[in-house]
Amino acid sequence: MNKSTIFVGIDISKDVFDVYDSEVGHFQFSNDEKGFKLFAKQLTSDHWCVMEATGCYHQRLAIDLFEKRLRVSVINPLIIKRFIQMKLNQVKTDKSDAKMICRYGEEQSLDLWSPEPDYIVECKTLQGVVRLYFKQRTALKNTFHSMSISKRGKGKLVRSIQRQLKCLDKEIRLLEIEIEKLIRTNEQELFTRLNTIPGVGKKTSMLLIVSTNGFRDFQSSRQLSSYFGLAPNERSSGSSIRGKSRISKMGDPLVRNHLFMCSFTACVHNPQCKALFDRIVGKGKSKKLALIAVCNKLIKQAYGIAKSGLDYDRNYIGRLS
């Protein structure tokens, strides 16, 4: 790291963002184009901006700094939270958070941030709306089921719910078609190769591509398993703590649920997954544990195929990781 590097910690909220410059101190700017311009005037090529990933609030500023060819790092908020706890900092304000983010940049190794491709951003937006529609559809189905059992539903109300369900089904299909079109336009080769894995369908392939930026954001399949919350967490210490190993469930639950459903088919039609499932069950372990292991195996296969550029090979014996 260049000794002349000046770190800038940024804490972003909806309307403003607080800045702590390691040399100048604290400033506050509005979270809009005017604030971005004022902030950029204070920066030089020696500055390195560090910020948390705060939903949609950090994206505009991060992109603006990136387009101005300034160094930017976007950090997982949980990492910053744990860093602040480690430093035993008792103050919780926007100013103090910006200062601690700056301190994190000074003490830790950072990766440069770059924006995701436009099609990935668009796919994520479409998937977010699809998830919302699924939740609405589930709520309507539950209401319809409750009314059917209690016989409280009347003609107009029932027909209204049915119309809404049909409308949601139609919109979901249209948006899923649009997502597939974007994936095929930009990642046709990878999409086709992922679909050669027995047990992995089109929807799961699209979720994996969008969630991982075409597998470009990860250096190993283990990172991918941790990201999706499928990596086992062991809790043991000395002779008194012997907790059961459980998956972290910290990742995207939709991707995790899709992979878990895929594992049922993979146990039958995917030779490597079937062998793994049989071996674990044969040792007396639970089937659920074996299915989670199959999920991780599918991740390894998908990652290996994405990085190697090869199709799935049913006769491959080694590890795709």
Side-chain angles (χ1 to χ4, degrees):
M1 181 90 51
N2 193 332
K3 291 184 178 180
S4 63
T5 299
I6 303 170
F7 288 96
V8 178
I10 305 172
D11 183 75
I12 305 177
S13 60
K14 179 182 177 181
D15 299 319
V16 298
F17 62 94
D18 289 78
V19 174
Y20 187 87
D21 188 310
S22 57
E23 290 196 344
V24 182
H26 174 257
F27 296 94
Q28 189 179 80
F29 302 93
S30 59
N31 192 5
D32 54 26
E33 296 297 331
K34 183 179 179 181
F36 299 164
K37 289 180 181 179
L38 291 174
F39 177 45
K41 288 181 180 179
Q42 300 189 10
L43 301 176
T44 67
S45 58
D46 290 332
H47 284 91
W48 191 319
C49 299
V50 187
M51 65 183 74
E52 290 180 312
T54 54
C56 59
Y57 296 141
H58 78 280
Q59 292 178 351
R60 288 192 303 162
L61 177 59
I63 291 172
D64 184 81
L65 295 172
F66 178 84
E67 290 176 346
K68 290 181 171 64
R69 300 183 181 278
L70 294 165
R71 289 176 291 179
V72 184
S73 292
V74 179
I75 312 299
N76 188 314
L78 182 60
I79 294 176
I80 297 297
K81 180 179 179 180
R82 294 290 184 259
F83 179 79
I84 293 174
Q85 290 174 341
M86 181 184 69
K87 296 298 182 180
L88 302 178
N89 187 36
Q90 301 298 320
V91 181
K92 175 61 179 175
T93 64
D94 294 338
K95 179 180 177 180
S96 67
D97 285 350
K99 185 175 181 179
M100 293 304 295
I101 293 171
C102 175
R103 189 173 175 184
Y104 176 87
E106 293 173 332
E107 297 182 11
Q108 305 297 317
S109 176
L110 301 174
D111 294 323
L112 287 173
W113 176 87
S114 60
E116 295 175 325
D118 290 341
Y119 79 92
I120 291 290
V121 175
E122 188 173 354
C123 284
K124 285 185 175 180
T125 304
L126 290 168
Q127 284 182 346
V129 177
V130 169
R131 294 185 195 199
L132 177 61
Y133 287 165
F134 269 118
K135 289 180 180 179
Q136 292 176 346
R137 190 178 69 171
T138 300
L140 284 170
K141 283 185 174 180
N142 290 340
T143 301
F144 185 78
H145 180 69
S146 176
M147 290 191 311
S148 299
I149 293 176
S150 61
K151 297 182 180 180
R152 288 185 287 110
K154 295 184 179 180
K156 289 184 179 180
L157 181 57
V158 169
R159 287 194 294 271
S160 175
I161 293 177
Q162 289 175 334
R163 284 196 302 271
Q164 287 298 317
L165 287 171
K166 287 182 179 179
C167 182
L168 286 172
D169 287 337
K170 180 182 177 181
E171 293 302 320
I172 288 171
R173 283 195 299 271
L174 289 173
L175 293 184
E176 287 179 341
I177 290 171
E178 185 62 27
I179 294 171
E180 184 174 347
K181 188 185 298 183
L182 286 168
I183 295 295
R184 288 188 179 278
T185 301
N186 296 277
E187 297 283 2
Q188 176 64 64
E189 186 180 348
L190 175 58
F191 182 64
T192 302
R193 291 203 308 271
L194 289 177
N195 278 288
T196 63
I197 303 174
V200 177
K202 289 198 305 182
K203 290 184 179 181
T204 304
S205 297
M206 290 189 291
L207 277 172
L208 289 173
I209 291 172
V210 174
S211 300
T212 63
N213 188 15
F215 293 87
R216 286 181 283 271
D217 292 345
F218 298 88
Q219 284 73 51
S220 70
S221 60
R222 288 187 177 182
Q223 286 185 357
L224 207 52
S225 293
S226 296
Y227 180 72
F228 290 138
L230 285 165
N233 284 349
E234 183 178 354
R235 293 179 58 84
S236 62
S237 177
S239 59
S240 59
I241 300 177
R242 285 290 183 270
K244 290 184 177 180
S245 295
R246 302 177 183 274
I247 59 174
S248 65
K249 294 186 179 181
M250 292 182 64
D252 187 341
L254 182 62
V255 178
R256 195 163 54 248
N257 291 341
H258 270 261
L259 286 168
F260 190 73
M261 296 306 296
C262 289
S263 67
F264 288 93
T265 305
C267 288
V268 178
H269 301 288
N270 188 313
Q272 292 90 352
C273 291
K274 186 178 185 303
L276 176 63
F277 180 85
D278 292 341
R279 184 169 71 250
I280 293 175
V281 173
K283 291 180 179 179
K285 304 292 185 179
S286 69
K287 289 185 178 181
K288 185 176 181 180
L289 178 65
L291 288 171
I292 291 173
V294 169
C295 291
N296 281 295
K297 187 66 174 179
L298 289 173
I299 289 175
K300 289 181 181 180
Q301 291 178 340
Y303 183 85
I305 285 171
K307 294 299 183 180
S308 68
L310 302 174
D311 289 347
Y312 171 80
D313 183 1
R314 296 182 64 87
N315 299 316
Y316 185 74
I317 300 176
R319 294 180 63 189
L320 278 170
S321 59

